[in-house]
Amino acid sequence: MVDNAVLLQLSACADAAQLSAILAQTPLDPLTIIANAPECVNVNELAELLSGLVGLTGSDSSQLIEACIARAEAIDQWTGRLDWAVRWLERVQAMKICGVAADAQLLGRTQRNAQVLEYMLECGRGAGLSLSDVNAMPSSEFIDWTMHQCCAYTELFPILGTVAGWVDGEAELRSAWNAWWAQNMLVAPQGLMSALVRAHPKSFDYSVVLAAVYSVGGPCSDAADAKAALEAIALLMGVSSPGTGVELPQPVYEVVSNSSEHELRTLSDDEVAMVVGAGLTQVRVAEILRCFGLDIDIPSVVACQGSASDQRKLLLRLLASAQRHQDARSFELSLWESLLQLRGMCFFSRLSVDDVKQEYLRLLLSGEQFEEAQMLVDAEPLFADNAAVRQTACDVARELFDNSDMCSMEKGSMKSASRCLDLIPQQYQQDSDVKRERALIDAAHLVWTLGAS
């Protein structure tokens, strides 16, 4: 039992020198010193003094760690110097007095809380909370508080990297972290999650990352963010290259297209690896589309699987966008090569090569780009059936004829209609449909000529 007079002297010390003088006369155990030395005593000097005590490492480590944490909370409470509390915890860590894993975990958790609170206070946030308040938070509340603050104030983003770095080493914190992202990912600032996944992929459950990629409006659904997230997961899983195509087996596709984090958890590791490989190919598809002015997200790429109608609609959007962004004739060939590349990745798997080429030809003819149209007709692979050229040319010629405001075949839309028919292969030039279209153009031109005379 320590004499009350000694405790009174101890609590009145102004510095470590006075404390050392008391100990020279009355040896005290480390717990008594930690609990009763004033909070204003320099933390470095106190740590040095404690390190020299014979009984330090022999004392009950759990009691020592709890006392050290209580002292850190008291330093924050009574001096308002959270930075002193942080330094004190660092010195405690350096003394290596943790006897069991639970001690180290408890000390590490307090250090984490102190660092997060200190950073927030430095940024002008977190006022009104003490270290003891944060230490009292369960993991779910700590994560919710931290994420709420960081999502509201972008200047706090850097501390999230520190938190994410801790997550993988603490099961309860990891569970709370992933639960928060699963429930709140749609409100997270753009780019935040992909950056965290790239830097700390082990902190995230695969199901949470995939939900972020495949949810409409998800934080990783944009091609650039999806690429960063999927590449990080691929590295962890040993997926060395993108998949051969964008499509997934039907049962896996149904889970992915639903994009529920709960359902994504049901995928096996092999199925997750398959999704990641296909996802990297889907990212490549989105990148190609963006080159031609069509900016779509990964869920939109996935939504086309198995639907010829949806694939045709997206093809028409791509062709229209490419038409608006063209800058040279070589661009047309580049687009055709890209269309073949996209189909090779199964993006237009429900459309034949002739289907794709025919839609492209229709667009060129409607835009009166006849040289480019001829280049496309001659480009490999050739039309499997030249009847597609005949039908497309006749259809566009009739549209131009119907919308012409001048009947002269020497200029304007009427001339363009005639040029469409010239593109038809020789074997079909005597076809009844072609001859009928030419007869209409000739007749309209004759009437126009007679009227002009």
Side-chain angles (χ1 to χ4, degrees):
M1 185 76 177
V2 181
D3 188 272
N4 287 335
V6 175
L7 292 179
L8 185 60
Q9 285 182 305
L10 185 63
S11 62
C13 291
D15 53 42
Q18 292 180 14
L19 180 59
S20 182
I22 294 173
L23 294 178
Q25 296 178 5
T26 310
L28 298 172
D29 65 274
L31 284 173
T32 301
I33 298 170
I34 293 169
N36 292 279
E39 288 77 14
C40 61
V41 173
N42 183 280
V43 296
N44 293 323
E45 295 175 357
L46 178 58
E48 288 292 336
L49 188 151
L50 289 170
S51 297
L53 293 181
V54 175
L56 180 62
T57 55
S59 302
D60 183 279
S61 64
S62 296
Q63 287 185 332
L64 275 173
I65 292 301
E66 289 174 3
C68 289
I69 290 173
R71 181 172 182 82
E73 293 178 347
I75 291 172
D76 175 45
Q77 180 180 359
W78 297 110
T79 70
R81 293 297 301 268
L82 183 59
D83 56 326
W84 289 1
V86 171
R87 289 210 305 275
W88 165 246
L89 293 168
E90 290 171 350
R91 290 307 304 263
V92 172
Q93 179 74 38
M95 285 191 280
K96 298 181 179 179
I97 56 177
C98 295
V100 294
D103 296 341
Q105 186 174 359
L106 183 60
L107 178 60
R109 183 174 181 270
T110 305
Q111 285 184 285
R112 173 199 77 198
N113 294 344
Q115 289 175 26
V116 170
L117 182 58
E118 181 183 35
Y119 188 87
M120 288 191 178
L121 291 173
E122 287 176 352
C123 293
R125 311 298 173 188
L129 285 176
S130 67
L131 178 57
S132 59
D133 292 331
V134 181
N135 279 342
M137 293 179 181
S139 294
S140 58
E141 185 180 345
F142 172 78
I143 289 295
D144 189 65
W145 167 67
T146 304
M147 294 304 304
H148 176 77
Q149 292 290 323
C150 290
C151 287
Y153 308 107
T154 56
E155 65 268 25
L156 299 178
F157 281 5
I159 198 61
L160 276 184
T162 305
V163 174
W166 289 318
V167 164
D168 189 48
E170 190 178 329
E172 187 177 327
L173 190 66
R174 190 181 195 280
S175 177
W177 170 265
N178 280 281
W180 188 93
W181 281 105
Q183 296 168 12
N184 300 281
M185 64 174 65
L186 295 181
V187 302
Q190 184 67 34
L192 177 60
M193 185 175 179
S194 62
L196 290 170
V197 174
R198 183 170 58 245
H200 304 279
K202 292 182 180 180
S203 299
F204 287 88
D205 293 341
Y206 295 150
S207 58
V208 172
V209 177
L210 294 183
V213 170
Y214 291 105
S215 297
V216 176
C220 296
S221 59
D222 175 78
D225 291 326
K227 183 177 183 179
L230 291 172
E231 284 181 346
I233 299 303
L235 189 62
L236 276 184
M237 301 196 73
V239 178
S240 58
S241 60
T244 56
V246 299
E247 295 190 334
L248 294 164
Q250 190 61 28
V252 178
Y253 166 74
E254 290 175 1
V255 173
V256 169
S257 60
N258 186 44
S259 69
S260 162
E261 188 273 334
H262 178 73
E263 290 190 28
L264 285 164
R265 278 187 240 156
T266 65
L267 296 177
S268 68
D269 285 351
D270 287 343
E271 288 172 330
V272 170
M274 182 190 305
V275 173
V276 171
L280 291 172
T281 305
Q282 292 155 7
V283 167
R284 180 59 187 143
V285 165
E287 290 174 338
I288 293 172
L289 297 180
R290 182 174 292 178
C291 289
F292 298 101
L294 184 58
D295 199 357
I296 70 170
D297 58 13
I298 303 305
S300 299
V301 174
V302 175
C304 292
Q305 177 170 328
S307 171
S309 173
D310 288 342
Q311 290 179 12
R312 189 177 297 276
K313 289 176 183 177
L314 199 51
L315 172 61
L316 294 176
R317 286 179 58 196
L318 171 59
L319 293 173
S321 178
Q323 190 81 342
R324 292 192 298 270
H325 289 80
Q326 65 176 320
D327 54 14
R329 180 176 300 177
S330 60
F331 176 90
E332 303 299 333
L333 288 179
S334 173
L335 175 56
W336 174 237
E337 291 166 359
S338 296
L339 289 171
L340 291 177
Q341 184 181 1
L342 290 169
R343 193 174 182 281
M345 291 187 282
C346 301
F347 185 52
F348 294 127
S349 60
R350 294 298 181 269
L351 305 177
S352 68
V353 175
D354 275 14
D355 287 336
V356 176
K357 200 168 188 178
Q358 190 172 7
E359 293 294 354
Y360 188 10
L361 179 62
R362 186 185 309 278
L363 183 76
L364 291 173
L365 292 176
S366 297
E368 303 180 26
Q369 296 175 268
F370 301 109
E371 292 182 12
E372 290 82 357
Q374 186 63 62
M375 290 170 63
L376 178 64
V377 170
D378 296 338
E380 296 287 345
L382 299 174
F383 275 102
D385 183 2
N386 276 328
V389 181
R390 175 201 61 191
Q391 187 60 52
T392 302
C394 284
D395 289 346
V396 176
R398 172 57 64 91
E399 291 172 6
L400 291 169
F401 178 89
D402 291 343
N403 293 310
S404 177
D405 56 1
M406 182 181 298
C407 293
S408 171
M409 59 186 298
E410 297 175 352
K411 54 187 174 181
S413 296
M414 200 68 74
K415 180 179 179 180
S416 296
S418 181
R419 291 193 66 181
C420 283
L421 299 176
D422 292 341
L423 194 74
I424 296 173
Q426 190 60 40
Q427 68 187 99
Y428 294 111
Q429 284 294 338
Q430 298 305 312
D431 183 270
S432 59
D433 289 342
V434 178
K435 292 172 70 174
R436 182 173 59 253
E437 294 302 326
R438 286 201 182 279
L440 283 172
I441 294 171
D442 290 341
H445 180 71
L446 179 61
V447 171
W448 179 82
T449 303
L450 293 174
S453 61

